[in-house]
Amino acid sequence: MKPYAQLPTDNPEEFMRTVGLSKEGFHVLNDKLTAYIATQKALNPLTMRGRKDTKLVLEDRLLLTLYYLRHYPTLINLGAIFDISESYCHKIYTRTARMIAKVEKLPNRKTLLEDSTTTLAIDVSEQPIERPVKNQKAYYSGKKTPHDQGPARDLRIDADHSLRGNG
C-alpha cells in the first residue's frame, strides 16, 4: 500500500478494490472533510494551539481509514504500511472515522441503540454431524438424545409467539 500521492490513477477498478470507493467518491469525501476541518478551526481557533501538524496529510488519513474499513488488517500492519506506529494509526483511524460519521450524517451509537425492536428470533437449532464409521467411539459422548429436547424447547419470545411449535 502506498500513500495517496503514489497510488496509480489510471486504473479505477484497482482503486475501487483497494479503497472501497471510486476515485470521484474519494475526492468528494475528502472535500467534505476538508470543509469540516476548516469550519471547526474557524469555530474553535484555540483547539489547535500547541499542536504540531500531523505526519500524514488528509488524503492519507482518509485512505488509512477507508483501507482499514475495507480490509480489516491489524493496526500494527496498517501502521507498517503507512510507516507510523500502531498507536498513532489507531488515533488517526478513530479521529477520521468520527469525522466521516459527522460529515456523512450517520447516526451515532446512541441513536442506533434507542431504536426499539419488537420481536427478535434467533435460529439456534442444532445440526446433526456426520460421525465416522470406524473409530466412532472417539466422537461419541454417550448421550442418546439431541440437545434440543430439553426445557428450553418451549421458550416464549413474547405472548403471541413461541420459539418452537408444539410437537
Side-chain angles (χ1 to χ4, degrees), residues 1-2 7 13-21 62-75 77-78 81-82 93:
M1 181 88 195
K2 303 170 189 172
L7 280 178
E13 184 178 312
E14 184 179 337
F15 187 84
M16 176 71 132
R17 287 177 55 201
T18 304
V19 180
L21 282 177
L62 180 59
L63 182 65
L64 181 142
T65 304
L66 293 175
Y67 186 79
Y68 178 78
L69 292 172
R70 174 80 174 173
H71 299 285
Y72 289 111
T74 60
L75 290 175
N77 289 341
L78 192 59
I81 290 171
F82 284 90
Y93 164 71

Side-chain angles (χ1 to χ4, degrees), residues 23-85:
K23 197 88 161 155
E24 295 79 26
F26 185 86
H27 287 299
V28 167
L29 188 57
N30 188 37
D31 293 340
K32 286 181 180 180
L33 285 177
T34 306
Y36 175 77
I37 290 171
T39 57
Q40 290 300 313
K41 283 184 181 179
L43 290 174
N44 304 316
L46 295 179
T47 57
M48 295 299 289
R49 184 179 58 188
R51 277 195 206 162
K52 297 178 182 175
D53 287 337
T54 181
K55 185 176 180 181
L56 297 177
V57 294
L58 183 61
E59 289 88 6
D60 289 340
R61 288 184 280 165
L62 180 59
L63 182 65
L64 181 142
T65 304
L66 293 175
Y67 186 79
Y68 178 78
L69 292 172
R70 174 80 174 173
H71 299 285
Y72 289 111
T74 60
L75 290 175
I76 196 162
N77 289 341
L78 192 59
I81 290 171
F82 284 90
D83 195 29
I84 56 177
S85 69

